[in-house]
Every structure is written in C-alpha cells, then in structure tokens.
C-alpha cells in the first residue's frame, strides 16, 4: 500500500493500463502450525468433539489471515483487487478446501484466494501466458509491420533467385550443347582410330581436335 510500512512477502509485477504503469499482485505465506497440529492430533485420537473444535479454530485462523492480508496489502489500483494466501503444505491446503464455503467466503468477503504448492505453480504459469498474450496484443501493429517487411524482402529475394536460376539454366544449356557437340566429334574420330594404324590416327587427330588442347603451357 502507498505510504505504508507493511511489506508483503512476495509480489508479482504485472503490467498496468499503460507501458509505464505497474500493478502488484501480493502473495503472503501463512502456516497455522498449532491449529493444524491440534486438528491432526484430535483425528488421531478419534476425539469427535476435539475434531469439531479444531476445525472451527482452524477456519477462524485462516479467515483472520485472509483479513490481515487484505487490509495490509490489497490496495487497487496500485495492486490487483485481490491477494493470494499461500499455504506451503498440500495437506493443509486440502484441509481448507474440505470445509464447505470457506474458500468462497475468503474470496467474496476479503478478496483473498488460497493456493497450495501445486496450484501456485499453475497460477504462475497462467499469469506468464497471460503476460505474453498481453504483450503481443499491445505490440500487434509492430509485429505486423515486421511481418510485412519480411514478406517484402522475401518477395525481392524470390525475384533475384528466379533470375539467378534462369541464368544458371541458360549456362547449363550452353554447356550441355558444347559438351554434346565436342563429345560426338571426339567419339566419331575415335571410331575411325579403331580402324587405322597408329601413324595415320595421329595425323588425323592433330588437325580437327587442336582446339581441345589445354591452354596451360607445360613447364617442360
């Protein structure tokens, strides 16, 4: 709370209505050890009256804790309009849920939600997903601009790639023609070589195939 010396044990920083606003979700841990032990001892002893009395006392303690959290730490719009009471033991959390109407009373009367170890994890995960969704919604125009820019660049890239593909195709076609023509010529001459003596074949090859010699001069 503003201008208060009370400090909650934990607070989750949440986005407000604008980028500069911050809203805090207060979380306070409570563990009514004595009342819970009294209830367990009464049940172990089979004391029905003791069980009833311990359950009533535990419910009263839980509601007192809820009122305390609400009065000390819940102050909308600086905080959320509700707070969270964290019970660090699953069996204690389950015990509170067993009592009809207690959970709803704490929410309606004191604006306090009770969580245990497992449900706290689920709550934090849902809050995290909510933050991500909210961030995307707030920056949706920026996201679309980025996607638009990527689409434009991809279109340009596709055009350049298509031109390069055509050039490569043309070069491949020319190379194919060259290789086919010269190969056919060489094969034609080679067929004649099979029928000629060595001296005559050398004279035949020196003329028409001179253009196929390597342009690199020998070091020898």
């Amino acid at each position: 709370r503003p201008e208060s010396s009370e400090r909650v044990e934990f607070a989750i920083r949440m986005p407000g209505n604008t980028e500069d606003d911050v809203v805090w979700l207060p979380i306070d841990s409570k563990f009514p050890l004595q009342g819970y032990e009294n209830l367990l001892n009464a049940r172990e002893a089979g004391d029905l009256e003791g069980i009833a009395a311990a359950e009533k006392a535990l419910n009263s303690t839980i509601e007192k804790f809820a009122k305390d959290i609400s009065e000390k730490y819940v102050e909308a719009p600086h905080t959320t309009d509700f707070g969270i009471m964290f019970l660090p033991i699953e069996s204690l959390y389950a015990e509170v849920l067993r009592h009809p109407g207690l959970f709803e009373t704490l929410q309606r009367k004191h604006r306090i939600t009770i969580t245990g170890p497992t449900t706290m994890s689920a709550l934090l995960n849902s809050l995290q997903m909510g933050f991500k969704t909210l961030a995307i919604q707030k920056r949706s125009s920026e996201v679309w601009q980025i996607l638009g820019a990527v689409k434009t660049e991809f279109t340009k890239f596709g055009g350049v790639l298509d031109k390069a593909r055509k050039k490569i195709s043309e070069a491949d076609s020319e190379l194919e023609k060259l290789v086919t023509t010269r190969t056919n010529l060489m094969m034609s001459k080679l067929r004649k070589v099979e029928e000629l003596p060595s001296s005559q074949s050398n004279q035949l090859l020196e003329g028409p195939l001179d253009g196929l010699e390597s342009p690199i001069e020998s070091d020898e």
Side-chain angles (χ1 to χ4, degrees), residues 149-206:
V150 171
K151 180 181 178 182
T152 300
E153 291 301 318
F154 187 80
T155 302
K156 293 179 180 178
F157 171 75
V160 174
L161 185 63
D162 187 57
K163 291 180 180 179
R165 183 187 60 80
K166 290 180 180 179
K167 292 294 183 182
I168 293 173
S169 179
E170 292 173 359
D172 183 67
S173 178
E174 292 297 326
L175 182 62
E176 179 68 20
K177 291 180 181 179
L178 176 63
V179 171
T180 301
T181 301
R182 305 304 290 183
T183 300
N184 290 339
L185 178 60
M186 286 187 289
M187 293 302 298
S188 175
K189 298 300 183 181
L190 288 173
R191 281 194 295 270
K192 294 180 180 180
V193 169
E194 295 176 355
E195 301 172 359
L196 296 174
S198 176
S199 59
Q200 294 182 7
S201 66
N202 288 336
Q203 293 177 358
L204 181 64
L205 291 176
E206 285 178 358

Side-chain angles (χ1 to χ4, degrees), residues 27-64:
I27 303 176
D28 212 48
S29 178
K30 299 295 184 184
F31 188 16
L33 179 60
Q34 188 61 52
Y36 187 52
E37 287 184 347
N38 291 341
L39 176 59
L40 294 179
N41 291 335
R43 286 177 177 169
E44 186 176 355
D47 183 359
L48 297 182
E49 293 184 359
I51 292 174
E55 287 181 344
K56 183 178 180 180
L58 181 60
N59 289 354
S60 178
T61 300
I62 292 294
E63 186 169 354
K64 181 179 178 298

Side-chain angles (χ1 to χ4, degrees), residues 3-166:
E3 301 180 1
S4 172
S5 60
E6 300 290 349
R7 292 292 180 270
V8 72
E9 289 180 316
F10 300 93
I12 296 180
R13 189 174 188 267
M14 304 177 64
N17 295 327
T18 66
E19 293 184 359
D20 296 330
D21 287 343
V22 175
V23 177
W24 299 97
L25 171 60
I27 303 176
D28 212 48
S29 178
K30 299 295 184 184
F31 188 16
L33 179 60
Q34 188 61 52
Y36 187 52
E37 287 184 347
N38 291 341
L39 176 59
L40 294 179
N41 291 335
R43 286 177 177 169
E44 186 176 355
D47 183 359
L48 297 182
E49 293 184 359
I51 292 174
E55 287 181 344
K56 183 178 180 180
L58 181 60
N59 289 354
S60 178
T61 300
I62 292 294
E63 186 169 354
K64 181 179 178 298
F65 284 158
K67 180 181 178 182
D68 185 62
I69 294 173
S70 178
E71 292 178 348
K72 287 183 178 180
Y73 311 123
V74 177
E75 182 67 22
H78 304 286
T79 70
T80 54
D81 60 356
F82 69 97
I84 295 177
M85 182 193 305
F86 175 64
L87 302 178
I89 297 180
E90 289 288 0
S91 57
L92 175 58
Y93 173 68
E95 180 64 37
V96 172
L97 295 183
R98 285 184 60 254
H99 297 277
L102 178 58
F103 189 88
E104 292 75 12
T105 298
L106 299 183
Q107 287 186 322
R108 183 183 67 258
K109 187 177 180 180
H110 302 292
R111 298 172 296 169
I112 296 299
T113 295
I114 297 181
T115 64
T118 301
T119 51
M120 175 60 77
S121 299
L123 173 66
L124 294 178
N125 287 333
S126 63
L127 285 174
Q128 185 180 40
M129 293 302 297
F131 291 162
K132 292 180 179 179
T133 302
L134 182 61
I136 291 175
Q137 289 175 345
K138 284 187 173 181
R139 305 185 64 180
S140 59
S141 60
E142 181 180 341
V143 171
W144 283 114
Q145 289 176 0
I146 293 174
L147 290 177
V150 171
K151 180 181 178 182
T152 300
E153 291 301 318
F154 187 80
T155 302
K156 293 179 180 178
F157 171 75
V160 174
L161 185 63
D162 187 57
K163 291 180 180 179
R165 183 187 60 80
K166 290 180 180 179

